[in-house]
Amino acid sequence: MHREDEICHDLRKNCTSCKCPREAHDVCHEEWVSVRSRLGLKDDESNGPIGVDPRERGLAWVPPGLPLHKVEEYFTMLPEIAVPRLGTPGERHRDRQLAIQLPKQDLARAYCRHLDPKHASSADDFMAARNEIALDIGSVQEVLERDLECGVCESSLKYGSLAVSASKLGLLYHPTCFRCADCKELLVDLAYCVHDDMLFCERHYAEQLKPRCAACDELIFSGEYTKAMNKDWHSGHFCCWQCDESLTGQRYVLRDEHPYCIKCYESVFANGCEECSKIIGIDSKDLSYKDKHWHEACFLCNRCRVSLVDKQFGSKVDKIYCGNCYDTQFASRCDGCGEIFRAGTKKMEYKTRQWHEKCFCCVVCKNPIGTKSFIPREQEIYCAGCYEDKFATRCVKCNKIITSGGVTYKNEPWHRDCFTCSNCNNSLAGQRFTSRDDKPYCADCFGELFAKRCTSCSKPITGIGGTRFISFEDRHWHNDCFICAGCKTSLVGRGFITDGDDIICPECAKMKLM
């Protein structure tokens, strides 16, 4: 918290310690308990609800003469920040607006620290005329007539609601419309000035008629003053933001909207040269690279001392080198051609290897790979097409690449669709099959083409799936077909007797001989 008269910094209305604008601080002003006091007017009984101190109601200010039961109604019509409740942002906002809208150096000559005595009468005349013609305090009253309009937005004023009255214009306003036409802020404690039939806070009213010094924030009553940076200044007040020395007629540098003399700017903001360690002044060209700075004449190769201005250069361990010196000492070599990478050359890298852009090409087709996909194999790089042509698995039948779902037969790859029966061409993938002369056959085709046939049923005996069979004198039977021609009992594992083309059990043979 600062007292208002302690904020000024030499010629400027800024905090002594941090130089920030006074509106950034919480400002107290012990001399005044009301705006009427600040304006030099005597307090009267209309300054708040009769017999009630606003602070007893938890408020720093209430509209003059407004009945107590209407005070809260009025404040509900304003933004929360504009309600000056004690100990809230609203109270601090009011304090700042008092300092901004009603600068005390505008209101009384006693607070003008930089007013030349020979212009004192002009200041008195200005203040007197303003107080008589333009300055006043609004009042809050109930709207008791219909079809009335707001003096700003021209919208209707609701009958029975509260409005602000500006007697110097004879108009009523919505409480949220009672603002300065310049800064658009609500007029603090309803204090206003009238100019060209418009409402202004006192600060911006005064600036319609007089220039204001950007340094000390006082009105300028002299006919001679300085204009710089699109602002007005007392003669001698246009000074360095750092040392306060006058800049009138002097060279200066603008930084963050503040002027600095050359000496202060260079001491506060100028960079030091990496080579000679001296300040790089505003008359020197500042060359920078990676947060380091050099005078133009100091921007040299660390090895051969040639100028690097407008030339390619390399950096190593915080030192800069011309292209030749950098290449000689530090440049790596291409894994393709073996030549060095010169400064500024584009480099392609993969894991621990690196190539010139033109050297990063397929070992087979020699086409540059660039940003396309590639496949490394041992120490070589292949484009996808060449890699597939050279290394991809191919079907032994169609010779095309197998991308997925292949079948291996006798250590050779096949597409599933290509692995078919050599006779009927039906797919063998997932099916029972056998082979003959290195050719695969489905069970049916193999039986039809190559298998022995059962003497009994004439069907092929394939042996696939563990089928057992019996052979005797160039004749063959399925186990299930090897039965007695007479009694039909199985002869598997039993003795039997041939009877022409038939086989019979011993019992049937005896019966046949009797």
Side-chain angles (χ1 to χ4, degrees), residues 13 15 32 36 99 151 160-161 177 209 216 255 283 308 315 318 333 335 379 401 414 417 440 508:
K13 288 290 183 176
C15 178
W32 305 288
R36 298 187 66 83
S161 66
C177 291
L209 306 174
C216 69
R255 174 77 178 237
D283 294 323
L308 300 180
S315 174
D318 294 332
R333 295 184 178 272
D335 283 310
Q379 295 300 309
I401 294 171
W414 305 67
D417 294 339
C508 288

Side-chain angles (χ1 to χ4, degrees), residues 435-459:
S435 65
R436 187 179 181 90
D437 299 330
D438 292 330
K439 294 181 180 180
Y441 294 89
C442 65
D444 291 341
C445 288
F446 183 85
E448 292 295 330
L449 294 174
F450 307 112
K452 298 176 176 63
R453 291 187 176 273
C454 179
T455 301
S456 176
C457 68
S458 300
K459 293 181 179 180

Side-chain angles (χ1 to χ4, degrees), residues 269-480:
F269 299 110
N271 298 302
C273 177
E274 191 72 16
E275 177 68 22
C276 69
S277 300
K278 295 180 180 179
I279 291 294
I280 304 174
I282 65 168
D283 294 323
S284 299
K285 183 180 289 188
D286 184 337
L287 302 181
S288 64
Y289 173 70
K290 288 187 175 180
D291 297 325
K292 297 183 181 297
H293 300 263
W294 293 263
H295 291 103
E296 185 174 17
C298 295
F299 195 56
L300 308 173
C301 172
N302 188 64
R303 189 165 183 239
C304 70
R305 312 307 293 169
V306 68
S307 174
L308 300 180
V309 177
D310 297 328
K311 294 180 182 177
Q312 286 187 337
F313 64 91
S315 174
K316 192 77 170 181
V317 195
D318 294 332
K319 302 295 184 182
I320 53 174
Y321 300 85
C322 66
N324 289 334
C325 290
Y326 184 89
D327 291 343
T328 300
Q329 287 192 260
F330 309 112
S332 53
R333 295 184 178 272
C334 173
D335 283 310
C337 68
E339 296 295 324
I340 63 173
F341 291 100
R342 299 195 178 278
T345 302
K346 190 172 183 180
K347 183 188 299 184
M348 310 297 289
E349 295 182 330
Y350 174 71
K351 292 187 175 178
T352 59
R353 306 177 67 198
Q354 49 195 359
W355 298 263
H356 293 107
E357 189 174 21
K358 64 181 179 60
C359 296
F360 189 58
C361 57
C362 174
V363 70
V364 177
C365 66
K366 307 301 182 184
N367 288 328
I369 290 175
T371 58
K372 294 181 293 186
S373 60
F374 65 92
I375 302 170
R377 186 181 176 92
E378 296 177 351
Q379 295 300 309
E380 307 292 353
I381 298 295
Y382 297 84
C383 65
C386 289
Y387 184 87
E388 288 184 349
D389 289 341
K390 189 167 184 177
F391 300 109
T393 302
R394 293 180 178 275
C395 176
V396 297
K397 183 174 182 180
C398 68
N399 201 38
K400 294 181 179 178
I401 294 171
I402 299 174
T403 57
S404 64
V407 175
T408 299
Y409 174 63
K410 293 199 173 191
N411 293 323
E412 292 184 321
W414 305 67
H415 288 112
R416 292 179 65 88
D417 294 339
C418 291
F419 188 58
T420 59
C421 174
S422 298
N423 184 59
C424 67
N425 284 326
N426 286 335
S427 176
L428 297 179
Q431 305 297 321
R432 294 193 307 167
F433 70 92
T434 189
S435 65
R436 187 179 181 90
D437 299 330
D438 292 330
K439 294 181 180 180
Y441 294 89
C442 65
D444 291 341
C445 288
F446 183 85
E448 292 295 330
L449 294 174
F450 307 112
K452 298 176 176 63
R453 291 187 176 273
C454 179
T455 301
S456 176
C457 68
S458 300
K459 293 181 179 180
I461 302 173
T462 62
I464 297 175
T467 303
R468 301 175 67 183
F469 65 95
I470 298 169
S471 296
F472 178 73
E473 295 181 351
D474 297 327
R475 290 189 292 172
H476 311 279
W477 293 265
H478 292 107
N479 265 22
D480 292 341

Side-chain angles (χ1 to χ4, degrees), residues 241-272:
W241 187 251
Q242 184 71 16
C243 68
D244 288 335
E245 289 296 322
S246 175
L247 296 177
T248 302
Q250 305 296 318
R251 295 171 66 204
Y252 67 91
V253 180
L254 190 62
R255 174 77 178 237
D256 299 329
E257 298 186 359
H258 299 305
Y260 293 84
C261 67
I262 303 303
K263 182 179 179 180
C264 287
Y265 179 84
E266 292 182 347
S267 66
V268 176
F269 299 110
N271 298 302

Side-chain angles (χ1 to χ4, degrees), residues 47-109:
N47 187 31
I50 298 175
V52 178
D53 182 352
R55 303 185 75 82
E56 293 179 1
R57 306 291 298 179
L59 295 162
W61 168 85
V62 294
L66 189 64
L68 186 60
H69 68 281
K70 289 289 185 179
V71 169
E72 284 300 328
E73 179 183 345
Y74 169 74
F75 282 134
T76 60
M77 303 174 75
L78 300 180
E80 185 65 26
I81 192 64
V83 181
R85 298 191 190 281
L86 298 179
T88 70
E91 180 189 17
R92 295 188 290 274
H93 178 74
R94 172 180 177 260
D95 283 341
R96 286 192 289 271
Q97 290 303 309
L98 283 171
I100 294 170
Q101 294 188 27
L102 300 172
K104 64 181 185 178
Q105 66 271 20
D106 284 18
L107 304 178
R109 182 156 58 86

